[in-house]
Amino acid sequence: MSRKEFRSGDTKPLAPENGRRYSGRTIVNLCKYLLQYKWMLALAFLCTLGSNLFALIGPKLTGLCISAIEPGQGKVDFGVVGYYAAWMAGFYVLSAGMSYGLQVLMLTISRKVVYRMRQDVFEKLMTLPVGYFDVHQTGDIISRISYDIDTVNASLSNDLVQLLTTVITVVGALVMMITISPQLVLVFAFTVPLSIVTTRYITGKTRPLFRKRSTKLGEMNGFVEEMITGQKTLKAYNREAYTQERFDGKNKEAVDAYYRAEYYGSIVGPCVNFINNLSLSLISVFGALLYLAGHMSIGNISSFVLYSRKFSGPINEAANIVSELQSALAAAERVFRLLEEEPEPADVEGAVELSHVRGDVEIKHVSFGYVPEKTVIHDLSFRAEPGKLIAIVGPTGAGKTTLINLLMRFYDPKSGEILVDGRLVETLTRRSLRQAYAMVLQDTWLFYGSIYENLAYGKEGASREEVEAVAKAAHIHSFIKRLPQGYDTILTDEGTNISKGQKQLLTIARAMLLDARMLILDEATSNVDTRTERQIQKAMLKLMEGKTCFVIAHRLSTIEHADLILVVNDGEVVEQGTHRELMERGGVYRRLYNAQFE
């Protein structure tokens, strides 16, 4: 059973069990990131405070200007009006300057937070076990590190500023209104609770919708990534129409989730806006009654109305960004859920470095399954002596690749022991154990960079001579020299500008360069022609002298010279011996061998 087979049948649920509780944890986690820049936040708070307080002085000065007009007399004290207007202009200029500084500060803080968050996510990915990537789509992981963090960034740089402004403006306006007319402030005793209840009710309904939106977008990205990777297979099987139908379904789910979240989220703004307009109407009515009763002047009524707008306006704006905040929280939940994943288990206390490796590998009564209810390896035992070539053969799904996963400690066995040089692998550091192996997989992996950089990837400081030597041994040197820039030729994404066979030769050469005492080859020559394959086998035999080698092969003609052949079937070694011994025995191996040459 391969890791990909396991992935398709076992995935983790993306939504947390308790969305409301998790949102609280998400806010706490975001605050931890923000508090890393507490001095900048403090300065931003001072800018917010100053900007809004200076802006709040304006309505008071407006009322004083209006009071300089004598109703019914047509007389205006222009000196008083000019004096207050000048002060008003000065305060507004200061407010605008501090508002600009606030925007710059918040953009800087959000940039730093997002940089740190992405760095933490990528570092986390480097610590996660292989099993995590077996059950999560690559596109979904990419969606978290790109789209979700971008959503958080937009919220930090815009919505957080709006919320700070709202709090200060609302409190300041309320204080000023109380100083003008405590009676009129009672209007808000009815409208504000109504706004709060309405907002809480609607956001409670929309929070799961925004979480579902992020999940569906991640699923769509994962599907697109898989289909793009498998374009050749898709076209070869003429599945374009079928794939388009599946994408249409994924796309519709994502769009519908996006629409429902935005639709219901957008209801908050108009509802709160209606309540605020209602409060303005009530203020106008009761203010007029107080004026007629001689308890308020026209100037005070004017100031109170302006302050009421400053009081209710930010509340309305805050309600309008609720949907954006919900989207940011849903995105942040997905990011923090990844950050809270269990990393690969730490080395046991007292774990030692594997040094002076001889390459003596022994497996004793090992059993393993990717999922508890299905065992893939059953009571497996064998020994690979130092410097020997061990071939592992068997039908598809027999457990060959799983065995490699156990040797590299990508997974740990459910029972039994694996020893290297007589020491349990659990007592060794994973880093030193994996450095003792060089590995070439059937699925080649090359990165964007020069051919030299790809070949020298596993050996820091490798010289050009060393790189060329292994390239010659892998019979790829002449091809590289024919390229326009030779070893400096840049490989595009995953080496798509060279053939699959050439990519495999490069990965074989890269493994040859490593100073490792053990080598794993998983169908490493499956994409090269028979003549080149025989040449590589001869070259590798010379280069692998003294190394313990594990070779998984389907073409049995390539492993006839192996020191030991393990025939694996249903997770058990059913036969072992040399090619001649197994052929003479006339068992499973002979049937497999004859089947390839009938």
Side-chain angles (χ1 to χ4, degrees), residues 23-212:
S23 291
R25 289 172 58 191
T26 302
I27 293 171
V28 171
N29 287 330
L30 279 174
C31 288
K32 289 178 181 178
Y33 274 95
L34 288 169
L35 289 176
Q36 295 180 36
Y37 311 99
K38 53 182 175 292
W39 297 115
M40 295 182 71
L41 275 175
L43 184 57
F45 178 75
L46 290 175
C47 286
T48 307
L49 188 64
S51 173
N52 286 280
L53 289 179
F54 286 135
L56 283 169
I57 298 173
K60 184 69 175 178
L61 296 175
T62 300
L64 295 173
C65 287
I66 293 174
S67 295
I69 303 172
E70 297 183 16
Q73 303 294 321
K75 295 181 180 180
V76 180
D77 190 337
F78 287 103
V80 173
V81 172
Y83 174 79
Y84 288 126
W87 276 106
M88 195 187 310
F91 284 130
Y92 280 140
V93 168
L94 285 172
S95 176
M98 298 188 82
S99 179
Y100 173 76
L102 172 65
Q103 292 290 344
V104 172
L105 277 169
M106 291 309 299
L107 284 172
T108 303
I109 292 171
S110 66
R111 178 176 61 85
K112 289 179 177 292
V113 167
V114 166
Y115 171 81
R116 185 64 199 172
M117 192 178 288
R118 277 211 177 97
Q119 192 175 43
D120 288 348
V121 169
F122 195 79
E123 287 177 0
K124 184 69 177 186
L125 291 174
M126 296 299 102
T127 67
L128 292 176
V130 170
Y132 178 84
F133 301 96
D134 289 338
V135 297
H136 288 81
Q137 291 179 309
T138 302
D140 182 61
I141 296 173
I142 293 172
S143 180
R144 298 189 194 205
I145 202 172
S146 56
Y147 167 77
D148 288 333
I149 292 183
D150 279 340
T151 302
V152 174
N153 177 36
S155 184
L156 288 178
S157 58
N158 298 315
D159 301 339
L160 191 58
V161 173
Q162 186 62 57
L163 286 177
L164 286 171
T165 301
T166 296
V167 171
I168 295 171
T169 302
V170 166
V171 172
L174 179 61
V175 171
M176 297 301 290
M177 286 189 294
I178 291 174
T179 62
I180 295 172
S181 176
Q183 299 95 324
L184 276 183
V185 174
L186 293 175
V187 169
F188 295 105
F190 165 71
T191 57
V192 169
L194 184 60
S195 295
I196 293 172
V197 170
T198 302
T199 303
R200 284 180 63 86
Y201 175 77
I202 297 176
T203 54
K205 297 292 185 183
T206 56
R207 184 181 293 113
L209 298 178
F210 283 99
R211 186 177 299 111
K212 184 177 180 181

Side-chain angles (χ1 to χ4, degrees), residues 438-440 508 511 519-524 540 544 550-553:
M439 185 166 65
V440 179
I508 291 170
L519 179 64
I520 293 173
L521 302 172
D522 186 354
E523 287 295 321
M540 290 181 70
M544 294 187 302
F550 297 90
V551 178
I552 294 178

